[in-house]
Amino acid sequence: MTLLSSRPAHPVDPGLLSRALEVAGRLANDASDVITATAGRGARPEAKESPFDWVTDTDRTLERHTRRVLAAEFPGIPVIGEEFGSDASAEGAKYRWVVDPVDGTANYVAGVPWCAYSLALVDGSGPVVGVVADPYRAQIYAAARGRGMRANGMPVRLADRTSTAGAIVCTELARNGPWPGMTGFVAHAAEAHAGVRVLGSAALAVAQVALGHAAAAVLHSYHEWDVAGAIALALEAGAHVLDRHGEDTPLPVDGLLVAAPGVADEVLSWWQKAAE
């Protein structure tokens, strides 16, 4: 059984919540325009730690733009980003912004229509505001604590699922390939007549659960900037957000399971059995 805590969320000033949601949405729209205008069209990738771990001019440009806007609109709130790291004041700060300018850079470079821009405002209780731009589908997904999730302004709320049969479950490869137990996890899903998909964007994998398109998403490893925005969506849509032990935390650091109500225990059991 999943172990769900009663961890209370810290109250957030309504004015800050509204301003953060508006500015984050504006930045997501900016990013979506840039990504759709440039994806697969002469992007100049540079390898980071491995030849497949790419960074492009677009990653850097969007993160710089995000940092400039956030510094002007929210002075004193530090920013943590994939390309330029953490502001010096981030440690111990009450709030922090977390940004991934292009989640799914390999797809972006190849012109594969599956990448995202992700931005979240985070406090000690987890995401306060989150936005994920899905440029190829012309969608902006946004959520704020206690205010629900919206897709292009339309409210989204998950219904309970009673089974994973016929459902999609998302996951992503680890940095060096399949994660430990991944083959067993896929086999358990197949036995339950569920299909596992690896599509190349952690943010969009989690967002699919929040949207009701997938029953669950399991991530063995990730960075905070990969998932913070999408976790905000999932929480406000009513999904369960757990670590590999079935415990909920502000932002799970020991694996991540995001699942629709009613199937979290089942998918968690596949994951735990596969690790045995």
Side-chain angles (χ1 to χ4, degrees), residues 158-171:
L158 288 178
D160 286 349
R161 283 182 180 262
T162 58
S163 172
T164 56
I168 293 293
V169 175
C170 297
T171 190

Side-chain angles (χ1 to χ4, degrees), residues 130-204:
V131 296
V132 174
D134 184 350
Y136 283 99
R137 273 149 289 280
Q139 292 282 326
I140 303 294
Y141 311 126
R145 184 179 294 166
R147 298 189 183 183
M149 173 192 167
R150 293 178 179 269
N152 278 7
M154 299 298 294
V156 176
R157 186 72 184 175
L158 288 178
D160 286 349
R161 283 182 180 262
T162 58
S163 172
T164 56
I168 293 293
V169 175
C170 297
T171 190
E172 293 295 334
L173 297 171
R175 180 175 295 275
N176 296 317
W179 42 268
M182 184 174 175
T183 299
F185 178 82
V186 173
H188 288 305
E191 290 171 3
H193 306 289
V196 177
R197 298 291 183 268
V198 179
L199 299 172
S201 167
L204 288 183

